[in-house]
Amino acid sequence: EGGGTLLIDEAYQLDPAGSSTGKRVLELLVAEMDARGGNFAVVLAGYDREMDAFMGANPGLPSRFRRQVAFPDFSDDELVDITTAQFAERFASYALEDEKHLRIAARRLGKGRGVAGFGNARAVAQLLETASERQTRRVVAARRAGEAPDVFRFAREDVLGARALDLSASEPLAALRAME
């Protein structure tokens, strides 16, 4: 009866060509939009390329969704701010060995910009989840080795991952290079 707003993320998954369920959902959605007139707003969200294909394959949709708003990926500075804020919120009682590690990790996320499937906020959440998993593994390994690590500290390797291996003294690599 009343109005409201419905947000459908990754709306291209409703493509009737790929799903009979998607077709039924779209039919119901269009019927509700028509029945409720201007009292019911529907926002379809998704990646540009997939949404363009979805709208192009469903001729009745572009006339019902006349406005498009493109949200550009976050800049490196914005990713740093978001990552720092989410770290502080999620790990309020934890400390970083060096805050620059979080800035470096956030800037690395920015390198994923433009790659299919890159999701700004999702990438930050995954970064923090991975850092947490690494921190847990590091602390457990240190305790097993008889050490007393600070369980409320994120080290460089927790946030950025292991350093690249130094293979300069590797005998197999030297043998491989000798074959050149």
Side-chain angles (χ1 to χ4, degrees):
E1 237 180 75
T5 303
L6 174 64
L7 170 68
I8 303 174
D9 196 12
E10 298 184 15
Y12 47 81
Q13 293 183 5
L14 295 175
D15 190 352
S19 162
S20 61
T21 303
K23 180 178 182 179
R24 289 193 305 269
V25 169
L26 278 178
E27 288 170 354
L28 177 65
L29 187 60
V30 167
E32 286 298 313
M33 289 170 63
D34 290 343
R36 294 176 189 248
N39 295 324
F40 180 52
V42 178
V43 178
L44 302 179
Y47 296 112
D48 291 342
R49 185 177 308 137
E50 288 85 350
M51 289 303 294
D52 288 344
F54 171 64
M55 295 299 267
N58 296 284
L61 291 182
S63 65
R64 287 183 168 83
F65 296 93
R66 296 184 317 267
R67 292 188 186 99
Q68 288 187 2
V69 178
F71 294 98
D73 289 331
F74 292 119
S75 69
D76 284 354
D77 289 340
E78 290 169 324
L79 282 172
V80 168
D81 291 345
I82 292 166
T83 304
T84 302
Q86 285 191 14
F87 181 90
E89 181 180 321
R90 181 170 175 184
F91 304 108
S93 57
Y94 288 73
L96 289 162
E97 181 178 83
D98 190 333
E99 291 192 18
K100 76 178 177 187
H101 299 148
L102 205 56
R103 289 191 304 274
I104 292 167
R107 291 189 191 287
R108 285 181 182 174
L109 289 181
K111 293 185 186 303
R113 217 178 273 109
V115 174
F118 176 73
N120 293 300
R122 192 174 323 120
V124 170
Q126 289 171 345
L127 166 82
L128 295 178
E129 184 63 32
T130 299
S132 177
E133 291 167 1
R134 287 177 183 149
Q135 191 263 2
T136 299
R137 281 194 303 270
R138 179 183 55 76
V139 166
V140 168
R143 283 186 168 180
R144 285 186 179 149
E147 300 170 20
D150 181 352
V151 298
F152 292 102
R153 182 183 64 79
F154 277 78
R156 180 210 174 279
E157 62 267 21
D158 301 334
V159 179
L160 297 175
R163 293 184 186 268
L165 295 175
D166 179 9
L167 300 175
S168 60
S170 167
E171 290 179 32
L173 184 59
L176 183 63
R177 286 187 175 144
M179 292 180 190
E180 293 180 56

